[in-house]
Amino acid sequence: MTTDSWINESLYPDWGQRFLVTRELARVKSDFQDIVIFESSSHGRVMVLDGAIQITERDEFVYQEMLTHVPLLAHGSAANVLIIGAGDGGVLRRVLQHKNVKRAVMVEIDGEVIRLCKKFLPGIAGDAWNDPRADVIVGDGIDYVKRAQDGSFDAIVVDSTDPIGVGEVLFTDEFYQNCARILTANGLIVNQCGVPFMQADELRETSLRRKQFFPYVTAYVAAVPTYVGGFMTLGWAAKSAGLTTVPVAEIRARADAAGILGTTRYWTPEIHAGAFNLPPYIEMHMP
Ligand code: SAM
């Protein structure tokens, strides 16, 4: 269908962005959420879940690079990585860029998101779906972490929707307790934690929850243009100290060894180190 209509993001009842739609590609009500994928005149193809902008071809690199490269390079030797959500495959692709990753398990609750992203947003995941190290499971992340073995992952990346609806279980005590159990002794978890200028409760409340099970809790920021409201925060919870203060030179060396250096458009060793310096309006929500 070719239209010159607009799609308004409905994440906030009284404020939001809109996109001029040049072509609607998919509109599906799955068992979990409303999924819309369309071609915009400004940001390439866009996916919306339950009215919230999830990803655009034009700026997805910002979020995917920061959600993936920061934890894996801070850890330094993550071999087994668990990805929860991330149905578009963008995080999977970037995790698999790391040469030292041996296994990337991705648990996405909605198979329709994977199907539609493969069909209409193939560039996001590239050929990550076919990587022999990838294990893609359609299932609920909270069930997966409940059943996973102790100490079976070095890093967990939670790229979920916000804690309303199907994503809510990924922001609970039970979820974080199981994540702490299945992570190795120097393991860490990062998760999409909203835009604190508009969603401060999400950052504050989930940071307090993580603090119950992890000694080192903070957040780091990324400027994602279509997550409106200023900095996007990525929640950080680690079992060991010092992972957020790795010197820039060491980050650079690790990125070079991992095959990441020179492949990014937002992440750099300096941006990585600087992202943990939170402005006071965000720092105030840290436990
Ligand atoms: N990077 C974009 C962002 O942060 O907005 C895209 C996020 S990604 C599309 C969010 C994914 O989380 C969705 O595909 C959704 O189906 C998935 N999700 C939500 N709740 C989940 C759960 N309990 N277990 C696994 N996946 C879940």
Side-chain angles (χ1 to χ4, degrees), residues 35-287:
I35 308 167
V36 178
I37 298 179
F38 62 89
E39 249 163 34
S40 72
S41 71
S42 56
H43 286 69
R45 293 186 173 186
V46 182
M47 176 168 70
V48 187
L49 297 181
D50 285 344
I53 302 299
Q54 299 290 311
I55 194 162
T56 85
E57 285 181 319
R58 191 165 171 206
D59 71 353
E60 57 90 22
F61 67 92
V62 177
Y63 175 81
Q64 318 274 20
E65 288 177 12
M66 290 302 281
L67 190 60
T68 304
H69 298 328
V70 172
L72 267 57
L73 294 172
H75 181 283
S77 57
N80 294 291
V81 180
L82 173 61
I83 303 163
I84 294 183
D88 45 68
V91 171
L92 180 65
R93 176 161 77 89
R94 283 170 179 80
V95 165
L96 293 169
Q97 267 185 273
H98 290 252
K99 289 178 189 162
N100 41 322
V101 167
K102 301 277 181 296
R103 181 174 73 118
V105 177
M106 175 183 144
V107 183
E108 159 60 57
I109 200 165
D110 194 342
E112 276 299 87
V113 171
I114 295 176
R115 180 182 72 83
L116 292 166
C117 287
K118 280 182 175 178
K119 185 173 180 184
F120 295 112
L121 289 163
I124 303 290
D127 61 2
W129 305 114
N130 308 314
D131 191 304
R133 296 172 292 167
D135 179 8
V136 178
I137 298 166
V138 177
D140 191 335
I142 192 152
D143 294 338
Y144 183 87
V145 298
K146 213 180 286 179
R147 292 194 312 274
Q149 296 295 312
D150 292 11
S152 50
F153 290 100
D154 302 300
I156 301 174
V157 178
V158 184
D159 178 16
S160 72
T161 42
D162 289 322
I164 38 180
V166 65
E168 191 170 356
V169 292
L170 302 178
F171 294 79
T172 60
D173 289 358
E174 179 192 9
F175 177 73
Y176 294 125
Q177 186 168 30
N178 276 310
C179 286
R181 176 182 61 76
I182 69 175
L183 280 166
T184 49
N186 60 342
L188 74 163
I189 176 173
V190 296
N191 63 291
Q192 162 317 88
C193 229
V195 173
F197 189 74
M198 297 297 290
Q199 302 168 301
D201 292 352
E202 185 171 323
L203 176 63
R204 180 174 53 254
E205 286 161 21
T206 59
S207 298
L208 284 170
R209 290 181 186 280
R210 287 189 288 274
K211 192 72 178 164
Q212 299 173 88
F213 310 108
F214 292 88
Y216 302 96
V217 171
T218 185
Y220 60 105
V221 293
V224 185
T226 53
Y227 296 165
V228 294
F231 276 135
M232 167 84 182
T233 42
L234 303 160
W236 174 279
K239 287 182 165 180
S240 47
L243 296 188
T244 60
T245 53
V246 177
V248 169
E250 174 59 21
I251 296 169
R252 181 181 307 284
R254 291 180 185 180
D256 195 19
I260 302 303
L261 213 52
T263 69
T264 57
R265 297 171 58 207
Y266 183 92
W267 180 93
T268 68
E270 294 76 11
I271 290 280
H272 174 132
F276 291 96
N277 297 290
L278 303 177
Y281 87 90
I282 297 179
E283 177 65 39
M284 64 185 278
H285 298 296
M286 289 295 101

